[in-house]
Amino acid sequence: MPDSGDVRNMDRWLRGFGLASLVANVGIVVTGGAVRLTKSGLGCPTWPRCTDESYTTTPEMGIHGIIEFGNRLLTFVVIAIAVAALITAVLERPRRRRLVTLGLVTLLGIPLQGVIGGITVLTNLNPWVVGLHFMGSIFVITTAYLFWRRVVDAPVTAAPPRPLRHLAWITTAVSLAVVVVGVIVTGAGPHSGDGGAKRNHLDPELISQLHVDLVMLLIGLSVALYFAARIAGAPTGPAVLLIAVELSQGTIGFVQYFTHLPIVLVGLHMLGACLVWIATLHALHATRSPDRAAVPAS
């Protein structure tokens, strides 16, 4: 049997690596946004090499090459953190199978994201592929978040009211739709990552209006989730956090739209999209079903 001090130390390492993995995966979304917003998307014009002759940037490629190549290097940092989290989960005793699975899926998702990123370069920043690249990041952020939550949360023994859980799932589905449509809005906008990159040719005003409508629906559902949790005697903090993040993100979105999409605000909006999704996952996770091992035998 492992010593109680060893268990606490292992738990501390798991918490640290889990949180670091989540932060790193959000961070690389932000740095990837910086690549696009500085028109450095083709700073390395090919993949997996940076040029046909070199895996690294060259002086002739200038600042755009440095920015794009620097973002590629950050992928290895994110992978290293994910490897550390997975190894720690494997070494934990007793081993938690779901935790190991989440760590493995997170780790495998990162190089897959790198491949999709390479395809975006090879397709000259096709906006649909760029959007797929962002959604891949949302997937990895999801698994990294679930890994971290599984480490820090106490087991659930009481089942939440079924209507509350259904409402949380509906809210999550709409939140995902907001992210997807937001990606499509980006593909119709001016920040393509390179002056010659194609756009998706959709009407920016029409798709932006759809995005706003979905945001309003999401805020309404989040408010409903707050009152439903309050009536059910469940924690209301996750819903409050979600509403606060949504309002902050909505404010940034409106300001960037009416100020003609300055790159700083667009970058903040990308960060905000990740935070809205994490806050959504937090609200959904708060209504999770009891862990089987935690339910007392009858």
Side-chain angles (χ1 to χ4, degrees), residues 27 33 77 90 97 196 225 239 248 250-251 282 292:
V77 176
V90 169
R97 183 177 299 176
L225 187 63
S248 299
T251 300
H282 182 52
R292 290 182 182 177

Side-chain angles (χ1 to χ4, degrees), residues 11-211:
D11 187 67
R12 190 178 301 115
W13 282 109
L14 278 171
R15 288 169 182 258
F17 285 134
L19 182 58
S21 181
L22 177 60
V23 171
N25 278 288
V26 172
I28 203 166
V29 170
V30 176
T31 60
V35 171
R36 179 170 61 86
L37 294 169
T38 57
K39 299 185 183 299
S40 302
L42 295 177
C44 286
T46 190
W47 186 88
R49 296 187 179 191
C50 192
T51 71
D52 290 335
E53 295 79 26
S54 174
Y55 281 98
T56 63
T57 185
T58 62
E60 293 77 17
M61 299 168 69
I63 187 64
H64 294 306
I66 293 173
I67 293 173
E68 162 66 0
F69 183 68
N71 190 62
R72 292 188 184 189
L73 288 180
L74 286 176
T75 301
F76 294 99
V77 176
V78 181
I79 288 176
I81 296 172
V83 167
L86 176 60
I87 291 175
T88 307
V90 169
L91 294 177
E92 184 189 28
R93 293 293 182 274
R95 183 180 299 162
R96 287 178 277 182
R97 183 177 299 176
R98 289 186 182 179
L99 194 64
V100 173
T101 300
L102 286 168
L104 180 60
V105 172
T106 300
L107 175 59
L108 294 178
I110 297 167
L112 178 60
Q113 264 294 81
V115 172
I116 299 173
I119 295 173
T120 66
V121 173
L122 297 177
T123 57
N124 294 317
L125 307 181
N126 181 291
W128 298 106
V129 182
V130 172
L132 179 63
H133 191 42
F134 184 85
M135 293 311 301
S137 292
I138 291 296
F139 172 78
V140 177
I141 287 170
T142 300
T143 60
Y145 170 84
L146 293 175
F147 180 96
W148 176 64
R149 289 305 323 183
R150 196 156 192 88
V151 174
V152 302
D153 280 343
V156 173
T157 57
R162 185 171 296 178
L164 177 63
R165 185 156 177 79
H166 288 170
L167 179 58
W169 273 108
I170 293 170
T171 303
T172 302
V174 174
S175 182
L176 183 60
V178 168
V179 174
V180 171
V181 176
V183 169
I184 297 174
V185 171
T186 298
H191 298 298
S192 63
D194 184 81
K198 297 179 180 179
R199 313 311 294 136
N200 61 25
H201 303 302
L202 297 177
D203 185 336
E205 289 192 13
L206 182 62
I207 197 69
S208 295
Q209 184 60 56
L210 175 60
H211 184 57

